[in-house]
Amino acid sequence: MQVRHSTNPAQIRSFDTQALRENYLVNDLFADDEFRATYSHEDRVVLGGARPVIGSIRLPSFDVLRTENFFDNREAGIVNVGGPGTITVDGVDQAMDTGSCLYVGRGAVEVIFASATAAAPAAFYLFSATAHRSYPTTLVPHGHGNVRRLGAQETSNERTINQYIHQDGVRSCQVVMGVTELGSGSMWNTMPAHTHDRRTECYLYFDLAPEHRVVHLLGEPTETRHLIVANQEAVISPSWSLHSGFGTGSYSFVWAMAGENQPFDDMDHAQAAELR
């Protein structure tokens, strides 16, 4: 498990490309038959990745957490961004196709990841936050959450937002999570760009061809910076940082938040004309 410390707006103004990537980009989440994780002090979220190929992967705890089991004080949303697979939570199998989301509540003990076939392994992306109570483990198949359609072809940001873990869907203590899929010919996500003063948000980009990239915007609206992001790489966006992006090819992304509150629309927009 890597550890990333919090940053503030004054710091990012002096960051070069390498410093931006070291602080905000998580580019090594997925490795065959391993569970990899990054702990961020931004709202104490954990990003994790499991790609089981030869056999199954058991979710470990980590010294950083100081708990016997990963979920002793935590909850998580997990989205499968690879081939079909299964997550077994305390002996109960949850079959997950691409894009499906599983909520795992505080108190779960044994969590095991497996792929349906080694030829097309699953890739399980985990986003975890601290939790003060337990909610039941709940599976949401791809496309079965609350569906919102935003944007337009004319502005290259026609997109479908699948809300999975949220106030009016699967309940949680802190985690809010879903998947956004861009329409044909649309490349912009999250326009207008915005900040969440009360929440950290992380993006995991997927379904991006190997030769393509997403240019992800971050920083303050009048002091923007960018990251070049490849397939199955994640971006940590602190509460003070805006987030938006443009792809050179088609893609989807998992968005996940944790912090002070859970209302999806609690955001402060930064119109394109205001960005610097």
Side-chain angles (χ1 to χ4, degrees):
M1 175 179 277
Q2 297 183 23
V3 176
R4 306 282 181 93
H5 290 281
S6 301
T7 59
N8 64 61
Q11 289 176 280
I12 196 173
R13 297 176 187 180
S14 63
F15 284 172
D16 62 11
T17 298
Q18 186 61 27
L20 289 170
R21 294 176 71 85
E22 289 175 354
N23 279 278
Y24 306 115
L25 182 68
V26 183
N27 59 5
D28 60 350
L29 277 176
F30 297 98
D32 290 355
D33 299 307
E34 290 184 27
F35 185 87
R36 293 187 171 184
T38 294
Y39 181 103
S40 171
H41 282 277
E42 305 288 355
D43 283 303
R44 299 192 179 277
V45 301
V46 172
L47 282 60
R51 186 168 64 208
V53 179
I54 297 175
S56 60
I57 302 172
R58 186 184 187 279
L59 176 65
S61 189
F62 297 90
D63 289 342
V64 174
L65 304 182
R66 295 294 196 271
T67 55
E68 182 178 355
N69 303 296
F70 185 92
F71 285 103
D72 284 352
N73 296 321
R74 290 186 160 269
E75 63 182 359
I78 306 170
V79 174
N80 182 11
V81 297
T86 301
I87 302 178
T88 304
V89 181
D90 292 335
V92 179
D93 293 342
Q94 307 282 352
M96 297 184 64
D97 292 326
T98 305
S100 296
C101 178
L102 181 69
Y103 171 78
V104 181
R106 173 176 172 152
V109 175
E110 186 177 61
V111 178
I112 299 172
F113 305 97
S115 296
T117 172
F124 297 105
Y125 170 64
L126 176 147
F127 177 90
S128 173
T130 57
H132 62 272
R133 64 166 294 180
S134 178
Y135 287 98
T137 296
T138 305
L139 174 67
V140 186
H142 174 244
H144 283 238
N146 181 45
V147 178
R148 299 177 63 170
R149 291 179 173 84
L150 299 176
Q153 270 194 332
E154 292 78 9
T155 49
S156 300
N157 68 346
E158 186 177 37
R159 59 199 189 275
T160 300
I161 298 176
N162 300 281
Q163 296 174 310
Y164 292 144
I165 305 171
H166 59 106
Q167 281 186 316
D168 299 316
V170 176
R171 293 301 310 276
S172 71
C173 290
Q174 285 202 73
V175 171
V176 180
M177 192 178 208
V179 173
T180 295
E181 299 167 325
L182 273 71
S184 177
S186 289
M187 297 300 168
W188 274 107
N189 70 65
T190 319
M191 286 300 288
H194 56 260
T195 60
H196 301 288
D197 223 17
R198 287 148 291 279
R199 293 195 296 263
T200 295
E201 182 163 13
C202 297
Y203 281 11
L204 177 90
Y205 291 99
F206 71 103
D207 280 348
L208 185 66
E211 68 272 19
H212 287 293
R213 295 293 184 269
V214 172
V215 180
H216 181 97
L217 299 181
L218 72 161
E220 295 179 287
T222 57
E223 284 282 348
T224 58
R225 301 293 186 268
H226 71 273
L227 292 168
I228 306 298
V229 186
N231 185 50
Q232 295 186 357
E233 294 184 344
V235 177
I236 300 169
S237 185
S239 60
W240 50 265
S241 174
L242 61 78
H243 32 278
S244 184
F246 181 86
T248 63
S250 62
Y251 63 96
S252 301
F253 64 96
V254 182
W255 47 267
M257 296 176 275
E260 181 75 17
N261 64 18
Q262 292 184 313
F264 179 82
D265 293 317
D266 179 15
M267 61 186 73
D268 298 305
H269 288 115
Q271 301 298 328
E274 303 171 11
L275 302 180
R276 297 291 185 270

